[in-house]
Amino acid sequence: MSTNGKSIWMNGQLIPWESATVHVMTHALHYGSSVFEGVRAYATPSGPAVFRLQPHTRRLFHSAKIARIDLPYTEDQINQAVL
């Protein structure tokens, strides 16, 4: 698999893309117990810019609350990881 990124945020830390694996018995894979928010970033003359990060993060936390999924991170920690 090819990717533009060299690392991915998993379990609270940036790890090499190739190391980002989950167990085959992971609940989210079998039962869809997960939430997703599509955050976009764009190249600008001043460097990468994330589009509307705060509203995306709020929706992610709201979706997790509705699904009764406890998030072990704060909104600020998620935002910092994205940036």
Side-chain angles (χ1 to χ4, degrees), residues 29-59:
L29 292 176
H30 289 276
Y31 303 104
S33 58
S34 59
V35 295
F36 173 81
E37 182 62 33
V39 179
R40 294 172 301 282
Y42 300 97
T44 72
S46 301
V50 179
F51 180 72
R52 298 181 52 85
L53 179 58
Q54 196 67 29
H56 283 291
T57 305
R58 278 192 216 113
R59 278 192 299 275

